[in-house]
Amino acid sequence: MRLRLLYIASVLILLSNYSIAQSVPVGSVVLEDYYRRAQLMGAIDSTISFTARPFFPKEALKIKNSFDPLNTLEKDRWFKEDGIFHYAKKWGTVQVLPFTRLIQFNSDHPYSLNDGALIPARGFQTSVSGGVYAKFGPLSIQLRPEYINAQNKDYQGFYKEQTDQRWYEYYQVQVFIDMPEKFGSNPYTRVTWGQSSIRLTEGPVSVGISNENLWWGPGMRNSLVMSNSADGFLHYTLNTVKPIRTPIGSFEGQVIAGKLENSGYSVPDSNRTYLGWPIYLRKRNEARYINAMVLTYQPKWIPGLFLGMTRSFTKYFGEKDSSFQALFPVLYPMQRKNNYDDPTRPRAGDQRASAFIRWLCVPEHAEVYFEYMREDPPYNWRDFYLQPDYSRSYIFGLTKLIPLNKFKGKYIQVNLELAQLEQTNENPNNPYQYLYTSKVTLQGYTNNGQLLGAGIGPGSNMQSLSVSWINGLKVLGIRLERFDHNEDFQNIGIKDIRANWIDMSATGIVEWNWHNLLISARFENILSYNYQHYYRPIDPDSGKFFEHGINQYNFQVQMGISYRF
């Protein structure tokens, strides 16, 4: 066996002199959004889906430096050295990766979405990352750890003044998901492997071990199955680094098997009771196994059309055996997860699946996309036909670049995205309630206390509109959003039409490149109506049913600076 593996590795080295497999991490300052815009402009290959990220520009686009897509550093860098060193007659390469620092500040309460290892916290927090990338033949090692530090100041959580019945319903969310209200009461510090990986790459296919964040599906503000709202987790990966071209079209995809960690933090009051009964169920302190996949197909006969699907499956390690089906359940038909009626059948685990479409129209500098997810699998096809909307969620979006004809290379970009995670009342007798929660794995669909899917969270909806001026890597824009927090809890637990928790926000956006630096800034003004679903009238004695409530204001700043060598 060892000789066979050595032989295979030797063949890969001989065949793979130009394999790169260097990624631009999900959430990279300035760069990630640029590559997708460049495709709308017609500047890069239109068969790349951007639905299975991280993105591998060197392999997909054959460019010299993934972090310098416009090749401006040749003239503008402050120092002569480009941080790229070759050895063994260019069979080997070492590159110094960008040094990146992110800073986030929340003035009143946490507001956290698509920020990786940063936690929902009040006050200042920062992350620092950097490292090196090295390759020899097909073997590549990307070492890019992250350091996170947060003030983690105290703030108002779920109000103690809420009724016992509302606390009971609040715990019906918290019991079945590891999404702590607070990450402790002290300053928070953590070091992770960040965006690190070890890979063997041959042509368009790569296999290895990674801790990188993943983003699957076409969404830009939200993604239903895999996003960077949580930090990356350790996983084995088999993925494409560029489209696999066939006579019927091109394919991209990824299959992973990994380990999800628990946060270690509990609910605000784990001893609380309702009608004399304890209402908090303690979770098993056990890591979870995740197997997930994404597959995208671009038909040869319909340029710009991408069709895809995702699946994910989680289970406690103690409930998993070593059979192939237990290791790779996403390759088998979906199973019912609540199959407690037959003790001879193993639990099917917590699972979800989505289908998506992205339609790119390069001549119009536009794209339209849609993703539809169902979390609780149907019992059979009849069940699906009768209740297709049960446990569903969806994302719809469109992006349009409008050329400024008098100013060559400059555009106005408009993006609209709608995310709907609130459930329908299609089957009120079914015990399913909240998206991403699970009665099989009580940590739900999370890693280290944050969601793997859409960062807006269970039962929530978001409408987002952004308008930006574009010039290469430079962006000046504004984003308007309406964030509707957990309407399922509002409908089940609050039942007061005056108490919907709605965030209305306006965000100024700046992205800039200057010599070796990439700079990003977000200035967000957030007005929270009925924060934490708590309606407090300004004048309780007015006698008016729709008396204005007291609102909470939060100012958030996000700044990122990345030094490219």
Side-chain angles (χ1 to χ4, degrees), residues 109 130 212 458 536 564:
H109 56 266
E212 295 173 288
R536 295 176 296 165
R564 302 171 293 167

Side-chain angles (χ1 to χ4, degrees), residues 47-278:
T47 65
I48 298 172
S49 71
F50 287 101
T51 60
R53 306 199 301 268
F55 182 46
F56 298 83
K58 276 191 174 182
E59 193 69 33
L61 305 177
K62 300 300 182 184
I63 62 177
K64 179 182 177 182
N65 187 344
S66 300
F67 308 104
D68 183 25
L70 298 179
N71 202 29
T72 58
L73 288 181
E74 293 296 326
K75 296 180 180 179
D76 292 342
R77 68 165 40 95
W78 282 315
F79 306 101
K80 292 183 180 180
E81 293 295 337
D82 59 6
I84 302 175
F85 308 96
H86 302 285
Y87 62 95
K89 297 182 180 180
K90 292 193 176 182
W91 277 59
T93 300
V94 175
Q95 179 175 358
V96 181
L97 297 175
F99 178 84
T100 302
R101 182 171 185 181
L102 300 176
I103 298 173
Q104 184 182 96
F105 170 77
N106 283 295
S107 65
D108 185 77
H109 56 266
Y111 195 85
S112 178
L113 187 68
N114 303 336
D115 50 15
L118 297 182
I119 64 170
R122 176 175 170 249
F124 283 98
Q125 68 175 311
T126 184
S127 73
V128 179
S129 66
V132 295
Y133 169 86
K135 86 167 191 75
F136 185 80
L139 175 66
S140 65
I141 300 175
Q142 182 169 287
L143 183 61
R144 195 172 188 176
E146 295 181 37
Y147 167 79
I148 301 97
N149 179 266
Q151 282 185 309
N152 202 23
K153 289 184 175 182
D154 192 27
Y155 63 92
Q156 176 65 59
F158 196 69
Y159 285 87
K160 293 182 178 180
E161 292 83 357
Q162 296 277 25
T163 66
D164 288 345
Q165 186 271 336
R166 290 180 177 180
W167 269 95
Y168 168 78
E169 291 296 344
Y170 174 71
Y171 273 34
Q172 294 306 296
V173 184
Q174 295 296 320
V175 164
F176 304 112
I177 195 169
D178 182 20
M179 198 167 65
E181 183 179 273
K182 297 179 182 179
F183 282 67
S185 56
N186 299 315
Y188 179 94
T189 300
R190 186 161 167 256
V191 179
T192 79
W193 284 107
Q195 310 305 310
S196 300
S197 65
I198 302 175
R199 298 176 178 273
L200 286 171
T201 304
E202 161 57 21
V205 179
S206 178
V207 61
I209 303 174
S210 172
N211 197 78
E212 295 173 288
N213 277 110
L214 308 174
W215 186 289
W216 293 351
M220 297 186 69
R221 188 71 174 134
N222 284 283
S223 181
L224 295 177
V225 175
M226 200 69 72
S227 75
N228 66 327
S229 283
D231 58 340
F233 56 89
L234 189 65
H235 59 273
Y236 297 99
T237 176
L238 172 64
N239 61 275
T240 57
V241 294
K242 62 181 178 180
I244 299 175
R245 307 189 189 282
T246 73
I248 62 171
S250 59
F251 293 85
E252 295 176 68
Q254 184 172 25
V255 180
I256 66 162
K259 180 181 180 182
L260 301 178
E261 302 286 356
N262 306 329
S263 71
Y265 298 101
S266 186
V267 296
D269 183 1
S270 59
N271 297 317
R272 201 174 186 94
T273 61
Y274 178 57
L275 300 179
W277 292 89

Side-chain angles (χ1 to χ4, degrees), residues 270-316:
S270 59
N271 297 317
R272 201 174 186 94
T273 61
Y274 178 57
L275 300 179
W277 292 89
I279 58 177
Y280 179 65
L281 178 64
R282 297 189 182 277
K283 299 175 174 62
R284 293 165 57 174
N285 186 22
E286 183 178 346
R288 288 151 292 140
Y289 173 76
I290 180 170
N291 177 219
M293 67 175 292
V294 58
L295 178 65
T296 303
Y297 169 53
Q298 201 281 302
K300 178 181 179 181
W301 307 276
I302 312 178
L305 178 65
F306 301 92
L307 305 172
M309 57 85 64
T310 68
R311 283 193 67 185
S312 76
F313 184 104
T314 59
K315 198 172 193 175
Y316 288 118

Side-chain angles (χ1 to χ4, degrees), residues 440-455:
V440 180
T441 56
L442 298 187
Q443 283 79 7
Y445 194 53
T446 63
N447 180 52
N448 279 318
Q450 298 196 72
L451 287 165
L452 293 174

Side-chain angles (χ1 to χ4, degrees), residues 467-492:
V467 180
S468 305
W469 170 87
I470 305 294
N471 180 18
L473 296 174
K474 296 177 174 64
V475 177
L476 294 174
I478 186 171
R479 182 175 65 220
L480 304 176
E481 283 184 338
R482 178 182 181 271
F483 182 179
D484 188 355
H485 289 261
N486 203 342
E487 274 296 292
D488 293 336
F489 173 67
Q490 164 70 23
N491 297 331
I492 296 170

Side-chain angles (χ1 to χ4, degrees), residues 328-384:
F328 300 102
V330 296
L331 302 179
Y332 291 82
M334 295 190 74
Q335 310 163 57
R336 291 290 295 179
K337 65 181 180 182
N338 295 326
N339 50 8
Y340 303 109
D341 55 328
D342 185 354
T344 64
R345 295 168 60 192
R347 294 182 183 178
D350 183 34
Q351 53 193 312
R352 56 200 44 81
S354 79
F356 60 80
I357 180 173
R358 179 180 180 232
W359 200 336
L360 170 70
C361 186
V362 175
E364 297 298 328
H365 308 297
E367 65 169 308
V368 179
Y369 54 89
F370 178 75
E371 183 177 15
Y372 183 96
M373 183 182 81
R374 176 151 174 164
E375 177 155 314
D376 194 21
Y379 186 80
N380 53 28
W381 282 109
R382 177 181 174 83
D383 182 18
F384 178 75

